[in-house]
Amino acid sequence: MTFDLSTIGEGQIRLTVNQGERLSQARTLRMTAACSEANVSGLLAQLGRHTSWASIMPKGDLAKRVLDEFRSVNVDLSNMVLRDEGRVALYFMEPGEFPMPGKVTYDRLHTPFREASIDDFNWDSMLDTKLVFVTGITAALTENTAKVVQYFVDQAAERGIDIALDVNYRSMLWDGDRAREVLTPIAEKAKLLFCSKRDGQTVFGMDGSGPEICANLRERFGNTHVVSTDQVDGIYVSSAEAGEHVFEVKRVPVIDRPGAGDSFVAGTMHGYLQGDILQGVIYGRRTAVYALTHHGDLTHISPAELDIPETSDIVR
């Protein structure tokens, strides 16, 4: 196989308001690249995995800013589709400070990716992989992107390629009923399913405790592994191979929250690709913590940092 992981999603620019300001009052914004699927492939690439990210973006400086960030960590961009015209998707982030929650404002209409069709992509290359990774975010954008995601998954299933789905429900993109309709046939094909307790309730109508919802998701969809998070209350694993497990979550200071979930997913899949889902969750818990320590959606980390002692001292 050429790739360890292949994925598809919309490249974006994130514009972040300074701490203590509101978007309507901001005079300066921090610009970083963003894309949930690219974040996952970028972290895995830093851990030595060969990863491919595909999208459709217009030529120009903003797209170059996005592509350069992920190219810099060795994500393979050979399956990227570039258009002569169009706009780059944006989202604005107000970090929030207790008791004010963080807030996202999307500006991603009329981008070339939203008009994606199955014929746009090099599927032979994208499917030359050990693992296909998709998210509910991309499936939520338009009927076109939902069809592309479903085709990607169907083709992977026909070829015997493992599939991982991160439900990653976004209420500003679709409602729970539509998400359930689109994601159910994908979840049924996924060997590895990521679904938070809250998404299990909202999208799939699950009731019960975190571990109960995790186990019920695996029973419902027949996945080999289900990994479920519950904010700071715990991480749950239901696995046909490894059994039922609960992991504690450590509270840490937060510099920048977006991307932490993607880092957790990437770390977990790193272990999954090694054949050890439980070790993967331990990796994911650590990469998610590191994600909170620096700005940007993409977490920058080295393989050695997965195993360093937890300390506030300078590593000399």
Side-chain angles (χ1 to χ4, degrees), residues 22-49:
R22 303 300 303 274
L23 179 59
S24 60
Q25 301 168 323
R27 295 295 177 266
T28 60
L29 299 166
R30 179 189 294 270
M31 183 170 72
T32 52
C35 171
S36 184
E37 295 87 351
N39 296 336
V40 169
S41 59
L43 194 148
L44 281 167
Q46 292 172 76
L47 298 180
R49 300 290 179 183

PDB file of all heavy atoms in Angstrom, residues 22-49:
ATOM      1  N   ARG A  22     -14.252  40.170  21.347  1.00  0.00           N
ATOM      2  CA  ARG A  22     -15.335  39.588  20.573  1.00  0.00           C
ATOM      3  C   ARG A  22     -15.069  39.854  19.098  1.00  0.00           C
ATOM      4  O   ARG A  22     -14.398  40.821  18.728  1.00  0.00           O
ATOM      5  CB  ARG A  22     -16.696  40.206  20.960  1.00  0.00           C
ATOM      6  CG  ARG A  22     -17.063  40.103  22.435  1.00  0.00           C
ATOM      7  CD  ARG A  22     -17.134  38.660  22.918  1.00  0.00           C
ATOM      8  NE  ARG A  22     -18.064  37.833  22.159  1.00  0.00           N
ATOM      9  CZ  ARG A  22     -19.383  37.748  22.426  1.00  0.00           C
ATOM     10  NH1 ARG A  22     -19.916  38.454  23.410  1.00  0.00           N
ATOM     11  NH2 ARG A  22     -20.151  36.948  21.707  1.00  0.00           N
ATOM     12  N   LEU A  23     -15.619  39.002  18.241  1.00  0.00           N
ATOM     13  CA  LEU A  23     -15.386  39.141  16.805  1.00  0.00           C
ATOM     14  C   LEU A  23     -15.824  40.508  16.301  1.00  0.00           C
ATOM     15  O   LEU A  23     -15.146  41.132  15.481  1.00  0.00           O
ATOM     16  CB  LEU A  23     -16.122  38.031  16.052  1.00  0.00           C
ATOM     17  CG  LEU A  23     -16.005  38.041  14.529  1.00  0.00           C
ATOM     18  CD1 LEU A  23     -14.552  37.939  14.088  1.00  0.00           C
ATOM     19  CD2 LEU A  23     -16.823  36.888  13.928  1.00  0.00           C
ATOM     20  N   SER A  24     -16.948  40.985  16.795  1.00  0.00           N
ATOM     21  CA  SER A  24     -17.482  42.264  16.319  1.00  0.00           C
ATOM     22  C   SER A  24     -16.612  43.452  16.714  1.00  0.00           C
ATOM     23  O   SER A  24     -16.747  44.546  16.146  1.00  0.00           O
ATOM     24  CB  SER A  24     -18.893  42.470  16.865  1.00  0.00           C
ATOM     25  OG  SER A  24     -18.887  42.473  18.284  1.00  0.00           O
ATOM     26  N   GLN A  25     -15.704  43.241  17.671  1.00  0.00           N
ATOM     27  CA  GLN A  25     -14.850  44.337  18.137  1.00  0.00           C
ATOM     28  C   GLN A  25     -13.387  44.147  17.750  1.00  0.00           C
ATOM     29  O   GLN A  25     -12.575  45.041  17.970  1.00  0.00           O
ATOM     30  CB  GLN A  25     -14.946  44.444  19.667  1.00  0.00           C
ATOM     31  CG  GLN A  25     -16.360  44.699  20.173  1.00  0.00           C
ATOM     32  CD  GLN A  25     -16.468  44.509  21.682  1.00  0.00           C
ATOM     33  OE1 GLN A  25     -15.825  43.617  22.237  1.00  0.00           O
ATOM     34  NE2 GLN A  25     -17.262  45.338  22.318  1.00  0.00           N
ATOM     35  N   ALA A  26     -13.047  42.999  17.173  1.00  0.00           N
ATOM     36  CA  ALA A  26     -11.648  42.662  16.924  1.00  0.00           C
ATOM     37  C   ALA A  26     -11.033  43.557  15.856  1.00  0.00           C
ATOM     38  O   ALA A  26     -11.679  43.926  14.877  1.00  0.00           O
ATOM     39  CB  ALA A  26     -11.535  41.206  16.507  1.00  0.00           C
ATOM     40  N   ARG A  27      -9.785  43.901  16.050  1.00  0.00           N
ATOM     41  CA  ARG A  27      -9.025  44.667  15.065  1.00  0.00           C
ATOM     42  C   ARG A  27      -7.882  43.841  14.471  1.00  0.00           C
ATOM     43  O   ARG A  27      -7.354  44.165  13.416  1.00  0.00           O
ATOM     44  CB  ARG A  27      -8.460  45.939  15.712  1.00  0.00           C
ATOM     45  CG  ARG A  27      -9.555  46.914  16.165  1.00  0.00           C
ATOM     46  CD  ARG A  27     -10.346  47.455  14.977  1.00  0.00           C
ATOM     47  NE  ARG A  27     -11.435  48.341  15.396  1.00  0.00           N
ATOM     48  CZ  ARG A  27     -12.692  47.952  15.589  1.00  0.00           C
ATOM     49  NH1 ARG A  27     -13.024  46.667  15.396  1.00  0.00           N
ATOM     50  NH2 ARG A  27     -13.620  48.807  15.962  1.00  0.00           N
ATOM     51  N   THR A  28      -7.493  42.773  15.149  1.00  0.00           N
ATOM     52  CA  THR A  28      -6.476  41.868  14.626  1.00  0.00           C
ATOM     53  C   THR A  28      -6.946  40.431  14.816  1.00  0.00           C
ATOM     54  O   THR A  28      -7.676  40.131  15.759  1.00  0.00           O
ATOM     55  CB  THR A  28      -5.120  42.049  15.345  1.00  0.00           C
ATOM     56  OG1 THR A  28      -5.287  41.781  16.742  1.00  0.00           O
ATOM     57  CG2 THR A  28      -4.584  43.452  15.140  1.00  0.00           C
ATOM     58  N   LEU A  29      -6.538  39.545  13.904  1.00  0.00           N
ATOM     59  CA  LEU A  29      -6.923  38.141  13.942  1.00  0.00           C
ATOM     60  C   LEU A  29      -5.693  37.281  13.663  1.00  0.00           C
ATOM     61  O   LEU A  29      -4.840  37.650  12.861  1.00  0.00           O
ATOM     62  CB  LEU A  29      -7.994  37.839  12.886  1.00  0.00           C
ATOM     63  CG  LEU A  29      -9.324  38.600  13.001  1.00  0.00           C
ATOM     64  CD1 LEU A  29     -10.134  38.446  11.708  1.00  0.00           C
ATOM     65  CD2 LEU A  29     -10.138  38.098  14.181  1.00  0.00           C
ATOM     66  N   ARG A  30      -5.609  36.147  14.313  1.00  0.00           N
ATOM     67  CA  ARG A  30      -4.541  35.193  14.062  1.00  0.00           C
ATOM     68  C   ARG A  30      -4.981  34.241  12.954  1.00  0.00           C
ATOM     69  O   ARG A  30      -6.043  33.638  13.042  1.00  0.00           O
ATOM     70  CB  ARG A  30      -4.219  34.402  15.335  1.00  0.00           C
ATOM     71  CG  ARG A  30      -3.126  33.355  15.144  1.00  0.00           C
ATOM     72  CD  ARG A  30      -3.009  32.473  16.383  1.00  0.00           C
ATOM     73  NE  ARG A  30      -2.550  33.223  17.522  1.00  0.00           N
ATOM     74  CZ  ARG A  30      -1.272  33.399  17.861  1.00  0.00           C
ATOM     75  NH1 ARG A  30      -0.319  32.856  17.105  1.00  0.00           N
ATOM     76  NH2 ARG A  30      -0.936  34.090  18.927  1.00  0.00           N
ATOM     77  N   MET A  31      -4.167  34.078  11.900  1.00  0.00           N
ATOM     78  CA  MET A  31      -4.540  33.238  10.762  1.00  0.00           C
ATOM     79  C   MET A  31      -3.780  31.923  10.813  1.00  0.00           C
ATOM     80  O   MET A  31      -2.549  31.906  10.911  1.00  0.00           O
ATOM     81  CB  MET A  31      -4.243  33.944   9.441  1.00  0.00           C
ATOM     82  CG  MET A  31      -4.690  33.146   8.223  1.00  0.00           C
ATOM     83  SD  MET A  31      -4.606  34.075   6.674  1.00  0.00           S
ATOM     84  CE  MET A  31      -2.834  34.138   6.422  1.00  0.00           C
ATOM     85  N   THR A  32      -4.518  30.816  10.767  1.00  0.00           N
ATOM     86  CA  THR A  32      -3.911  29.491  10.710  1.00  0.00           C
ATOM     87  C   THR A  32      -4.697  28.630   9.725  1.00  0.00           C
ATOM     88  O   THR A  32      -5.834  28.954   9.374  1.00  0.00           O
ATOM     89  CB  THR A  32      -3.902  28.814  12.094  1.00  0.00           C
ATOM     90  OG1 THR A  32      -5.220  28.845  12.648  1.00  0.00           O
ATOM     91  CG2 THR A  32      -2.946  29.516  13.052  1.00  0.00           C
ATOM     92  N   ALA A  33      -4.093  27.537   9.300  1.00  0.00           N
ATOM     93  CA  ALA A  33      -4.766  26.589   8.406  1.00  0.00           C
ATOM     94  C   ALA A  33      -5.660  25.664   9.217  1.00  0.00           C
ATOM     95  O   ALA A  33      -5.427  25.426  10.404  1.00  0.00           O
ATOM     96  CB  ALA A  33      -3.738  25.780   7.638  1.00  0.00           C
ATOM     97  N   ALA A  34      -6.683  25.127   8.564  1.00  0.00           N
ATOM     98  CA  ALA A  34      -7.624  24.258   9.269  1.00  0.00           C
ATOM     99  C   ALA A  34      -8.237  23.251   8.310  1.00  0.00           C
ATOM    100  O   ALA A  34      -8.400  23.527   7.128  1.00  0.00           O
ATOM    101  CB  ALA A  34      -8.725  25.082   9.931  1.00  0.00           C
ATOM    102  N   CYS A  35      -8.575  22.098   8.851  1.00  0.00           N
ATOM    103  CA  CYS A  35      -9.337  21.041   8.191  1.00  0.00           C
ATOM    104  C   CYS A  35      -9.216  19.831   9.100  1.00  0.00           C
ATOM    105  O   CYS A  35      -8.098  19.359   9.361  1.00  0.00           O
ATOM    106  CB  CYS A  35      -8.815  20.708   6.796  1.00  0.00           C
ATOM    107  SG  CYS A  35      -9.601  19.214   6.092  1.00  0.00           S
ATOM    108  N   SER A  36     -10.325  19.323   9.591  1.00  0.00           N
ATOM    109  CA  SER A  36     -10.282  18.227  10.554  1.00  0.00           C
ATOM    110  C   SER A  36      -9.513  17.035  10.000  1.00  0.00           C
ATOM    111  O   SER A  36      -8.630  16.466  10.665  1.00  0.00           O
ATOM    112  CB  SER A  36     -11.708  17.816  10.936  1.00  0.00           C
ATOM    113  OG  SER A  36     -11.697  16.822  11.921  1.00  0.00           O
ATOM    114  N   GLU A  37      -9.822  16.643   8.780  1.00  0.00           N
ATOM    115  CA  GLU A  37      -9.170  15.478   8.182  1.00  0.00           C
ATOM    116  C   GLU A  37      -7.680  15.738   7.939  1.00  0.00           C
ATOM    117  O   GLU A  37      -6.845  14.855   8.139  1.00  0.00           O
ATOM    118  CB  GLU A  37      -9.852  15.101   6.874  1.00  0.00           C
ATOM    119  CG  GLU A  37     -11.287  14.634   7.032  1.00  0.00           C
ATOM    120  CD  GLU A  37     -12.312  15.764   7.017  1.00  0.00           C
ATOM    121  OE1 GLU A  37     -11.905  16.953   7.056  1.00  0.00           O
ATOM    122  OE2 GLU A  37     -13.519  15.469   6.975  1.00  0.00           O
ATOM    123  N   ALA A  38      -7.354  16.962   7.521  1.00  0.00           N
ATOM    124  CA  ALA A  38      -5.941  17.297   7.304  1.00  0.00           C
ATOM    125  C   ALA A  38      -5.186  17.335   8.625  1.00  0.00           C
ATOM    126  O   ALA A  38      -4.015  16.957   8.696  1.00  0.00           O
ATOM    127  CB  ALA A  38      -5.831  18.635   6.587  1.00  0.00           C
ATOM    128  N   ASN A  39      -5.844  17.804   9.696  1.00  0.00           N
ATOM    129  CA  ASN A  39      -5.205  17.796  11.013  1.00  0.00           C
ATOM    130  C   ASN A  39      -4.811  16.381  11.415  1.00  0.00           C
ATOM    131  O   ASN A  39      -3.723  16.141  11.954  1.00  0.00           O
ATOM    132  CB  ASN A  39      -6.154  18.358  12.075  1.00  0.00           C
ATOM    133  CG  ASN A  39      -6.498  19.808  11.856  1.00  0.00           C
ATOM    134  OD1 ASN A  39      -5.750  20.547  11.218  1.00  0.00           O
ATOM    135  ND2 ASN A  39      -7.635  20.223  12.389  1.00  0.00           N
ATOM    136  N   VAL A  40      -5.715  15.440  11.178  1.00  0.00           N
ATOM    137  CA  VAL A  40      -5.445  14.041  11.520  1.00  0.00           C
ATOM    138  C   VAL A  40      -4.296  13.504  10.687  1.00  0.00           C
ATOM    139  O   VAL A  40      -3.357  12.885  11.203  1.00  0.00           O
ATOM    140  CB  VAL A  40      -6.718  13.186  11.330  1.00  0.00           C
ATOM    141  CG1 VAL A  40      -6.407  11.702  11.421  1.00  0.00           C
ATOM    142  CG2 VAL A  40      -7.774  13.575  12.369  1.00  0.00           C
ATOM    143  N   SER A  41      -4.351  13.737   9.380  1.00  0.00           N
ATOM    144  CA  SER A  41      -3.287  13.224   8.513  1.00  0.00           C
ATOM    145  C   SER A  41      -1.962  13.909   8.828  1.00  0.00           C
ATOM    146  O   SER A  41      -0.896  13.281   8.759  1.00  0.00           O
ATOM    147  CB  SER A  41      -3.662  13.406   7.037  1.00  0.00           C
ATOM    148  OG  SER A  41      -3.888  14.759   6.721  1.00  0.00           O
ATOM    149  N   GLY A  42      -2.004  15.186   9.228  1.00  0.00           N
ATOM    150  CA  GLY A  42      -0.781  15.918   9.552  1.00  0.00           C
ATOM    151  C   GLY A  42      -0.101  15.404  10.798  1.00  0.00           C
ATOM    152  O   GLY A  42       1.133  15.281  10.850  1.00  0.00           O
ATOM    153  N   LEU A  43      -0.878  15.084  11.828  1.00  0.00           N
ATOM    154  CA  LEU A  43      -0.265  14.548  13.039  1.00  0.00           C
ATOM    155  C   LEU A  43       0.300  13.156  12.789  1.00  0.00           C
ATOM    156  O   LEU A  43       1.412  12.832  13.205  1.00  0.00           O
ATOM    157  CB  LEU A  43      -1.270  14.525  14.189  1.00  0.00           C
ATOM    158  CG  LEU A  43      -0.653  14.292  15.573  1.00  0.00           C
ATOM    159  CD1 LEU A  43      -1.437  15.013  16.654  1.00  0.00           C
ATOM    160  CD2 LEU A  43      -0.573  12.803  15.915  1.00  0.00           C
ATOM    161  N   LEU A  44      -0.461  12.337  12.071  1.00  0.00           N
ATOM    162  CA  LEU A  44       0.033  10.989  11.763  1.00  0.00           C
ATOM    163  C   LEU A  44       1.300  11.041  10.918  1.00  0.00           C
ATOM    164  O   LEU A  44       2.203  10.222  11.095  1.00  0.00           O
ATOM    165  CB  LEU A  44      -1.051  10.187  11.059  1.00  0.00           C
ATOM    166  CG  LEU A  44      -2.133   9.603  11.967  1.00  0.00           C
ATOM    167  CD1 LEU A  44      -3.311   9.095  11.144  1.00  0.00           C
ATOM    168  CD2 LEU A  44      -1.575   8.489  12.833  1.00  0.00           C
ATOM    169  N   ALA A  45       1.376  11.998   9.998  1.00  0.00           N
ATOM    170  CA  ALA A  45       2.587  12.133   9.183  1.00  0.00           C
ATOM    171  C   ALA A  45       3.793  12.446  10.060  1.00  0.00           C
ATOM    172  O   ALA A  45       4.902  11.951   9.816  1.00  0.00           O
ATOM    173  CB  ALA A  45       2.393  13.213   8.125  1.00  0.00           C
ATOM    174  N   GLN A  46       3.585  13.264  11.095  1.00  0.00           N
ATOM    175  CA  GLN A  46       4.689  13.582  12.010  1.00  0.00           C
ATOM    176  C   GLN A  46       5.112  12.362  12.828  1.00  0.00           C
ATOM    177  O   GLN A  46       6.239  12.304  13.332  1.00  0.00           O
ATOM    178  CB  GLN A  46       4.271  14.703  12.955  1.00  0.00           C
ATOM    179  CG  GLN A  46       4.083  16.043  12.254  1.00  0.00           C
ATOM    180  CD  GLN A  46       3.473  17.071  13.184  1.00  0.00           C
ATOM    181  OE1 GLN A  46       4.152  17.608  14.053  1.00  0.00           O
ATOM    182  NE2 GLN A  46       2.186  17.336  13.024  1.00  0.00           N
ATOM    183  N   LEU A  47       4.219  11.393  12.973  1.00  0.00           N
ATOM    184  CA  LEU A  47       4.536  10.170  13.698  1.00  0.00           C
ATOM    185  C   LEU A  47       5.087   9.087  12.782  1.00  0.00           C
ATOM    186  O   LEU A  47       5.218   7.925  13.172  1.00  0.00           O
ATOM    187  CB  LEU A  47       3.290   9.664  14.431  1.00  0.00           C
ATOM    188  CG  LEU A  47       2.721  10.614  15.490  1.00  0.00           C
ATOM    189  CD1 LEU A  47       1.483  10.010  16.143  1.00  0.00           C
ATOM    190  CD2 LEU A  47       3.761  10.975  16.537  1.00  0.00           C
ATOM    191  N   GLY A  48       5.385   9.473  11.535  1.00  0.00           N
ATOM    192  CA  GLY A  48       6.037   8.549  10.618  1.00  0.00           C
ATOM    193  C   GLY A  48       5.101   7.808   9.686  1.00  0.00           C
ATOM    194  O   GLY A  48       5.550   6.951   8.906  1.00  0.00           O
ATOM    195  N   ARG A  49       3.810   8.140   9.729  1.00  0.00           N
ATOM    196  CA  ARG A  49       2.860   7.495   8.830  1.00  0.00           C
ATOM    197  C   ARG A  49       2.832   8.210   7.482  1.00  0.00           C
ATOM    198  O   ARG A  49       3.010   9.434   7.408  1.00  0.00           O
ATOM    199  CB  ARG A  49       1.452   7.523   9.436  1.00  0.00           C
ATOM    200  CG  ARG A  49       1.333   6.822  10.777  1.00  0.00           C
ATOM    201  CD  ARG A  49       1.466   5.343  10.634  1.00  0.00           C
ATOM    202  NE  ARG A  49       1.384   4.649  11.925  1.00  0.00           N
ATOM    203  CZ  ARG A  49       1.538   3.350  12.079  1.00  0.00           C
ATOM    204  NH1 ARG A  49       1.779   2.578  11.021  1.00  0.00           N
ATOM    205  NH2 ARG A  49       1.468   2.800  13.278  1.00  0.00           N
TER     206      ARG A  49
END
